[in-house]
């Protein structure tokens, strides 16, 4: 399987076989991602890290991944210090980054920005989030977390909880898990339901997702619980936000009736949706999930650079 | 009201069976008559067997069907007639191309194609029969295609 030069814009650009290959490559990267062993696969290569929007985990894990592969990183995390401030177009910024580096990772507030960047660059573009659009490396690290913790991805009961309307990670994950035949349950307040087009996409892939507002019943047989934050910044109306925030909280009490091997994931940052007491349980894998951003991104950076893993 | 009669043309193109009320948008899509000096006649709300329709006649110019196909977006039943010496020399139905460039604006205000970048809007045609298009950049499908035409 050859990923040389491939742009990574959306999870929908990948087949199940391709995703499987990436996950297996990421598994091999774990000891290197932890710094237990060293690698020089991308020695002499330069990554442009262009973050037009704030990010903690995505940016740091991409930069860590490139450093762990012995590559170098240039770029910015604050676009106000760039020529964008002078009115430069994204297309021109990308042309420059393309000339200065071998791979470009970019986060941008406009949907479709990564697709545009890919049209202007010869180097592979890795989309680190384009507005409310796609965030494929987050989806891959989510899948990798299930793969790593459960040893496979398949007919598990997966519950997606919280803001299913505005949360881009749950849209991509629902799509990808449908490829794997997972049983999906969507739990959200009525006003934050999974969009119909996402549900239809899942159905087109053969999945039969169910939607509910009740968390207790959904959790009973769950193998994976994926919690999301109610994102204040996405609400046009603050009153509506106040109505739904705090609807769900994962507490020790709620976990009394769940499967022993249930794993709880969260793309982070979290606010109040998971009680910190849960952090100490074997269910909590969200910090491991955040670490998994490094091996998955090491695998992707290597694969698009033409390295066979 | 009696439909307006417009004369037959000797040579040129007749676009018939345009969805009633859409003739002006068809002209806009085809960039007629801005860049042309040909005589153009337009009939709106003409009564026909299948209800009302619009008709556009462009004199002394044969419009290539690849150029006209994009009007299928708003006039999927339109037919193109190439007229030579008052006779229909060629006739075909419009068919949407696989992609549409620069003729509609994405309905997503935060799509990068609306952000002042040096690119034209671009849509992938999902359904040619019942026109459905999707923005190449942000994946958004506009609900009301006609209102998005530039």
């Amino acid at each position: 399987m050859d990923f040389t030069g491939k742009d990574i814009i959306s999870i929908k650009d990948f087949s199940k076989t391709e995703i499987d290959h990436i996950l297996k490559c990421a598994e091999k990267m774990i000891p290197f991602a932890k710094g237990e062993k060293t690698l020089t696969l991308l020695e002499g290569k330069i990554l442009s890290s262009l973050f037009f929007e704030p990010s903690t985990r995505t940016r740091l894990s991409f930069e860590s991944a490139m450093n762990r592969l012995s590559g170098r990183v240039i770029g910015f995390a604050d676009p106000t210090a760039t020529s964008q401030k002078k009115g430069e177009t994204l297309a021109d910024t990308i042309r420059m980054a393309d000339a200065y580096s071998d791979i470009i990772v970019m986060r941008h507030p406009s949907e479709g920005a990564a697709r545009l960047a890919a049209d202007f660059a010869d180097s592979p573009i890795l989309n680190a989030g384009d507005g409310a659009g796609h965030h494929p490396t987050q989806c891959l690290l989510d899948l990798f977390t299930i793969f790593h913790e459960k040893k496979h991805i398949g007919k598990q009961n997966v519950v997606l909880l919280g803001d299913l309307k505005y949360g881009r990670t749950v849209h991509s994950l629902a799509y990808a898990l449908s490829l794997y035949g997972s049983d999906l349950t969507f739990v959200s307040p009525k006003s934050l339901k999974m969009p119909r087009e996402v549900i239809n996409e899942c159905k087109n892939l053969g999945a039969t997702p169910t939607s509910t507002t009740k968390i207790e019943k959904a959790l009973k047989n769950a193998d994976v619980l994926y919690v999301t934050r109610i994102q204040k910044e996405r609400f046009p109306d603050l009153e509506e936000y106040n109505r739904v925030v705090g609807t769900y909280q994962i507490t020790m009490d709620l976990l009394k009736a769940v499967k022993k091997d249930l794993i709880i994931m969260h793309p982070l940052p979290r606010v109040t949706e998971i009680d910190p007491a849960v952090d100490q349980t074997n269910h909590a894998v969200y910090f491991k999930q955040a670490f998994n951003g490094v091996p998955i991104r090491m695998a992707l950076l290597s694969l698009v650079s033409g390295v066979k893993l | 009201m009696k439909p307006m009669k417009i004369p037959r043309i000797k040579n040129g193109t007749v676009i018939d069976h345009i969805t009633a009320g859409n003739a002006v948008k068809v002209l806009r899509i085809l960039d007629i008559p801005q860049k042309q000096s040909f005589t153009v006649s337009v009939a709106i709300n003409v009564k026909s067997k299948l209800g009302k329709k619009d008709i556009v006649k462009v004199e002394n110019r044969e419009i290539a069907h690849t150029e006209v196909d994009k009007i299928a977006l708003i006039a999927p039943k339109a037919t193109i007639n190439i007229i030579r010496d008052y006779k229909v020399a060629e006739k075909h139905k419009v068919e949407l191309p696989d992609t549409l460039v620069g003729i509609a604006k994405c309905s997503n205000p935060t799509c990068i194609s609306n952000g002042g970048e040096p690119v034209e809007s671009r849509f992938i045609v999902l359904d040619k029969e019942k026109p459905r298009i999707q923005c190449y950049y942000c994946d958004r499908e506009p609900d009301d295609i006609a209102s998005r035409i530039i």
Side-chain angles (χ1 to χ4, degrees):
Chain A
M1 209 168 291
D2 189 7
F3 288 85
T4 310
K6 184 175 169 73
D7 300 306
I8 296 179
I9 309 295
S10 159
I11 195 68
K12 292 175 193 169
D13 297 338
F14 294 96
S15 67
K16 181 171 168 286
T17 315
E18 288 174 325
I19 295 173
D20 282 339
H21 181 67
I22 294 167
L23 302 184
K24 281 174 191 155
C25 292
E27 191 76 45
K28 292 181 198 165
M29 288 294 179
I30 288 180
F32 304 100
K34 287 181 175 167
E36 294 164 0
K37 295 180 181 176
T38 54
L39 270 179
T40 54
L41 290 177
L42 296 190
E43 196 169 22
K45 299 280 186 191
I46 297 175
L47 170 71
S48 276
S49 169
L50 314 181
F51 279 75
F52 294 88
E53 267 199 329
S55 163
T56 306
R57 275 158 294 280
T58 305
R59 184 172 66 81
L60 291 181
S61 63
F62 257 117
E63 295 184 5
S64 170
M66 192 62 181
N67 280 294
R68 293 288 193 203
L69 293 162
S70 303
R72 288 170 179 267
V73 182
I74 58 172
F76 54 83
D78 177 8
T80 56
T82 72
S83 288
Q84 191 203 31
K85 185 88 178 156
K86 301 174 193 164
E88 185 171 66
T89 61
L90 174 63
D92 281 359
T93 306
I94 290 296
R95 284 180 172 122
M96 295 305 104
D98 195 33
Y100 300 151
S101 60
D102 306 290
I103 312 171
I104 299 168
V105 58
M106 183 182 80
R107 170 170 290 186
H108 196 278
S110 298
E111 290 87 45
R115 190 88 57 199
L116 178 137
D119 287 346
F120 281 88
D122 291 328
S123 310
I125 298 285
L126 275 63
N127 183 8
D130 57 340
H134 303 286
H135 191 0
T137 64
Q138 176 70 46
C139 185
L140 286 166
L141 82 86
D142 292 341
L143 292 171
F144 180 60
T145 302
I146 299 173
F147 174 76
H148 185 68
E149 296 296 323
K150 296 286 187 184
K151 307 302 171 210
H152 78 292
I153 308 175
K155 272 204 79 64
Q156 290 120 335
N157 293 314
V158 182
V159 176
L160 305 183
L161 171 76
D163 174 4
L164 306 185
K165 182 179 177 184
Y166 297 112
R168 63 184 169 195
T169 61
V170 283
H171 300 167
S172 305
L173 192 58
Y175 173 90
L177 288 172
S178 297
L179 286 176
Y180 283 87
S182 302
D183 287 317
L184 302 172
T185 306
F186 302 144
V187 185
S188 69
K190 273 188 181 155
S191 59
L192 294 176
K193 273 165 58 174
M194 188 65 94
R196 198 177 335 126
E197 40 293 14
V198 178
I199 294 177
N200 287 341
E201 271 183 341
C202 296
K203 286 181 177 169
N204 288 342
L205 292 170
T208 50
T210 52
S211 298
T212 175
T213 55
K214 305 262 188 295
I215 178 67
E216 291 82 0
K217 196 179 163 199
L219 269 188
K220 207 175 163 194
N221 291 312
D223 299 298
V224 177
L225 169 63
Y226 192 96
V227 187
T228 61
R229 176 173 62 97
I230 310 264
Q231 303 172 87
K232 192 177 184 176
E233 62 274 23
R234 304 272 184 215
F235 278 80
D237 179 3
L238 195 62
E239 235 176 75
E240 197 194 333
Y241 169 76
N242 288 331
R243 259 199 299 277
V244 292
V245 70
T247 308
Y248 304 107
Q249 195 190 24
I250 305 303
T251 60
M252 296 299 282
D253 208 35
L254 194 66
L255 295 179
K256 280 179 186 163
V258 301
K259 278 186 174 180
K260 270 188 181 170
D261 60 351
L262 166 77
I263 60 168
I264 303 174
M265 299 168 63
H266 192 303
L268 304 177
R270 68 166 159 180
V271 190
T272 56
E273 56 277 8
I274 301 178
D275 185 335
V278 176
D279 299 357
Q280 310 306 321
T281 68
N282 289 331
H283 300 299
V285 300
Y286 28 88
F287 296 119
K288 286 189 205 170
Q289 182 187 352
F291 161 75
N292 286 339
V294 181
I296 202 83
R297 287 169 178 130
M298 286 176 76
L300 290 170
L301 290 167
S302 304
L303 289 167
V304 300
S305 301
V307 175
K308 298 275 179 261
L309 297 171
Chain B
M1 200 178 89
K2 233 180 149 186
M4 186 200 298
K5 301 286 185 193
I6 51 176
R8 292 167 68 202
I9 60 173
K10 186 178 180 190
N11 293 301
T13 306
V14 174
I15 307 171
D16 200 356
H17 300 290
I18 297 168
T19 313
N22 278 352
V24 174
K25 280 179 182 156
V26 165
L27 292 176
R28 205 185 312 152
I29 291 179
L30 296 178
D31 214 7
I32 295 173
Q34 287 91 331
K35 290 180 184 171
Q36 314 294 345
S37 54
F38 308 108
T39 303
V40 178
S41 315
V42 178
I44 294 175
N45 288 339
V46 179
K47 279 183 188 161
S48 77
K49 287 178 210 162
L50 302 169
K52 286 180 180 177
K53 64 176 183 179
D54 290 0
I55 304 171
V56 168
K57 296 186 179 188
V58 184
E59 288 182 49
N60 297 320
R61 187 183 163 209
E62 293 187 6
I63 304 177
H65 74 86
T66 48
E67 195 185 341
V68 186
D69 276 351
K70 55 192 175 186
I71 69 166
L73 201 56
I74 54 163
K77 289 179 182 163
T79 55
I80 310 301
N81 302 280
I82 303 297
I83 309 295
R84 291 178 196 138
D85 200 19
Y86 294 109
K87 287 181 184 153
V88 177
E90 290 173 32
K91 182 171 187 165
H92 72 91
K93 289 184 174 177
V94 292
E95 191 196 344
L96 273 176
D98 294 334
T99 56
L100 295 165
V101 178
I103 70 154
K105 189 171 151 61
C106 181
S107 58
N108 174 6
T110 55
C111 173
I112 194 73
S113 68
N114 290 325
E117 295 293 328
V119 291
E120 288 190 279
S121 70
R122 183 188 294 202
F123 288 87
I124 296 166
V125 177
L126 300 175
D127 190 336
K128 293 185 179 185
E129 301 299 316
K130 295 172 188 165
R132 270 179 62 216
I133 58 173
Q134 181 180 45
C135 177
Y136 164 79
Y137 293 102
C138 78
D139 298 343
R140 174 82 63 98
E141 276 187 53
D143 290 331
D144 178 9
I145 296 176
S147 71
R148 309 312 306 172
I149 289 168
I150 297 167

